[in-house]
Each structure stands twice: as C-alpha cells, then as structure tokens.
Amino acid sequence: MPKNIGYNGNSRLRRAYIDIALTQYQVDEFKKCAKDPIYFIKKYIKIVSLDRGIVPFDLYPFQEDMVTKFVNNRFVICKIPRQSGKTITTVAFLLHSILFNEQYNVAILAHKGTAANGILARLKLAYENLPPWLQSGIIEWNKGNIELENGSTISAHATSADGLRSGSYNAILLDAFAFVANNIAEEFFTSTYPVITAGTKTKIIIVSTPRGMNLFYNMWVRAEAGKSDYLPIEVHWSAVPGRDEAWKEQTIRNTSEEQFQQEYNCLHGDTPIEVLDTLTNEIKILSIKELYDLV
C-alpha cells in the first residue's frame, strides 16, 4: 500500500477519496475483473487454508459453476455438504458484487449473529488482501458493516422474524438456512420477500446443508420440481478434491453413518435409512428427521 492512504491506521485498506495513478496493465486488469467474477476470484481473492494459511482461492469446478449461476439467476438455492467451501464461494461472489457495482447493498444473514459476522470477517480478509488499485476506498469498516466509496454496502445480521423490513437490498445471502427455527424462517420470508423483490435484478441466494423437514426442505423440493423460480444447485461430497471412498470410511468411523448421511450426503429429512438399535440389536428404518428428533 502506498504511504498515507491507509484507512484508520490499517495500511492494508485504502481510505476513501484518495486517487491512485494506475498503469495500463492495472486498468486492463480492473476491466477484466469487473467483467469476469471467476477471473477476479481466481487471480485476486485469498482465503484461509487450515493447512497452508492464507492462499489464493483456486476454485473447484463446482465452485465456478456456483458463481456462474449466481451471476445468471436471481433466485438460487444450494444444497451442499459441510466443509466444502460453499460459504466462501458465495462470499467471493458478493465481494465482486459490491466492488464492481455502485450503490449495491448486500445483507448476509445466518441463524446466529456471530455466524453472520464470521462470514463478513472472511470477506474482510479477502478485501484486505486485494491490491490497493482494485479496492474502493473505505468509508465504514466495523464488525457488522462495510461501506465503500462507490456507495456499496454489506452488512451482517442474525435471521429474525422482522427480517430486513426497513432496508433496501440488491442481494441477500441466507447461510445455513436449514438451521433457522422454522417459525422464524417463515416469518422472515413473509417480511423480507417483498423488500428483495422490489427490483427486477435483485437476488436471493440460499446456501445450506439440509436439516430435517422445514422451510429449507420445502423450498428445495419445490425448486427441484420446477414449482418455483429458485435454481437448485446440488453438490455431491466427492466433488471436493481428496474426498474419496477412503475419506468416507474414515469419516464414518470417526462420527457415524447417520451423521455422514445428513452432513455430507445431504439426504432429505424424509429419506429412510437403516439404523441399528444398540439396545435391542434390531435394524430399524427411520427418516433423517426422526433421527434428529431422537437426539
């Protein structure tokens, strides 16, 4: 970062209304990034790897497909296994959205406020690792909200019954939506859907691992059957590099067959599976929802 342009003592952030002279290469790169979010993500976004620290975001093929579908569709619902990079992929897309659009407002919602703030923190890390000539100047940068010089904002919220009734948003992300209490999820949509659909290009992106029979389940089933405008995206656990049959067997050994089916195979709440009753040694047929109800 050039001297004297950092925001609030953070030399990795560009403060607002500071001009930077760009080379022709940087101008050309800016144009490429604005036009192609996948190019931008693969070349300039950095993420945290548990094994390697901060690394470039080398998108898997299914993650590229997610980004493409986010770009081309207003309503998307994703049923994707745990720890597959679904949230960070969505974060990278939203970062591109606020950076290369003016007056673009985004809301991140999760079942808990801490989870929503954690998602925003990932976006902040990626932003801080952008070169200054790609950044828009920072006007506000706090735990739950970012405002950029170009007029775009992104904020983090817990999913609540009142939803985002008082705001105006171009896109909202509903993360881990299957884990929001059903009554709250339904009231949220009642209050929020009119807000987000007021425009003709606004977007709703729902990303979750399934959990029983709830609003997420119903929305997924309707989308899969073509009974709503949501585009369904489903990813198999084996789409993540390194996840093969040996990985599956190790995961089941260290957890359980039921947990694997729910968290990684993403079975529906009404999917029947065989379960051994350890008290009677009987094999019983239970649904995923019934298993959760027993826990």
Side-chain angles (χ1 to χ4, degrees):
M1 179 75 74
K3 292 181 179 180
N4 302 319
I5 72 169
Y7 169 79
N8 200 24
N10 187 340
S11 63
R12 300 173 72 181
L13 293 175
R14 173 180 167 184
R15 61 187 170 94
Y17 313 120
I18 296 296
D19 293 330
I20 297 179
L22 302 184
T23 66
Q24 187 59 51
Y25 171 79
Q26 290 168 342
V27 171
D28 293 341
E29 281 294 287
F30 191 96
K31 291 178 179 179
K32 286 181 185 178
C33 290
K35 185 180 296 186
D36 186 349
I38 291 177
Y39 177 84
F40 165 71
I41 293 169
K42 294 179 75 171
K43 186 160 186 179
Y44 292 104
I45 291 292
K46 292 186 179 179
I47 62 173
V48 175
S49 165
L50 292 177
D51 295 324
R52 295 179 292 148
I54 297 177
V55 296
F57 191 3
D58 188 11
L59 292 166
Y60 302 141
F62 80 85
Q63 292 170 326
E64 290 193 25
D65 181 63
M66 287 175 65
V67 172
T68 299
K69 288 174 177 174
F70 292 160
V71 171
N72 295 326
N73 295 273
R74 289 187 63 197
F75 306 104
V76 180
I77 185 168
C78 306
K79 181 165 71 79
I80 302 177
R82 292 281 302 278
Q83 301 298 313
S84 56
K86 56 185 180 295
T87 300
I88 192 60
T89 301
T90 313
V91 163
F93 167 74
L94 294 177
L95 174 51
H96 181 275
S97 299
I98 63 170
L99 193 57
F100 296 103
N101 293 285
E102 295 184 349
Q103 307 296 326
Y104 198 90
N105 299 315
V106 175
I108 296 171
L109 294 105
H111 62 301
K112 295 180 181 179
T114 52
N117 288 333
I119 295 170
L120 183 60
R122 298 192 199 184
L123 184 141
K124 288 179 174 180
L125 183 143
Y127 201 97
E128 288 180 321
N129 281 280
L130 292 175
W133 52 267
L134 263 183
Q135 295 182 13
S136 179
I138 301 297
I139 292 177
E140 185 173 0
W141 183 275
N142 59 44
K143 185 176 182 180
N145 183 67
I146 296 173
E147 182 179 355
L148 303 181
E149 179 183 350
N150 65 8
S152 295
T153 67
I154 186 163
S155 53
H157 312 262
T159 308
S160 66
D162 290 336
L164 304 171
R165 189 186 296 272
S166 61
S168 177
Y169 298 93
N170 300 91
I172 63 172
L173 163 63
L174 300 176
D175 188 73
F177 193 58
F179 292 80
V180 177
N182 213 39
N183 62 317
I184 293 176
E186 291 176 353
E187 291 179 27
F188 169 83
F189 258 97
T190 299
S191 65
T192 302
Y193 188 79
V195 174
I196 198 65
T197 55
T200 59
K201 296 181 180 180
T202 49
K203 295 179 182 286
I204 299 177
I205 300 172
I206 303 174
V207 180
S208 191
T209 300
R211 189 182 192 275
M213 308 279 282
N214 49 26
L215 182 59
F216 175 80
Y217 168 79
N218 291 335
M219 293 180 72
W220 174 264
V221 170
R222 286 177 55 79
E224 204 172 29
K227 295 181 179 180
S228 75
D229 291 331
Y230 283 91
L231 176 74
I233 298 177
E234 183 171 13
V235 175
H236 192 263
W237 56 265
S238 61
V240 179
R243 292 186 177 180
D244 52 16
E245 286 299 320
W247 172 87
K248 175 184 175 181
E249 292 174 7
Q250 180 187 57
T251 302
I252 292 173
R253 281 199 311 271
N254 293 332
T255 56
S256 70
E257 177 72 31
E258 293 76 21
Q259 286 176 301
F260 183 86
Q261 295 295 353
Q262 173 68 29
E263 305 297 340
Y264 294 101
N265 233 12
C266 291
L267 296 183
H268 290 310
D270 61 347
T271 303
I273 63 174
E274 291 186 356
V275 178
L276 174 64
D277 187 328
T278 56
L279 295 178
T280 64
N281 283 329
E282 291 181 89
I283 298 293
K284 295 183 177 181
I285 305 297
L286 296 175
S287 70
I288 291 292
K289 178 179 184 300
E290 288 171 327
L291 283 173
Y292 266 98
D293 290 342
L294 288 174
V295 175

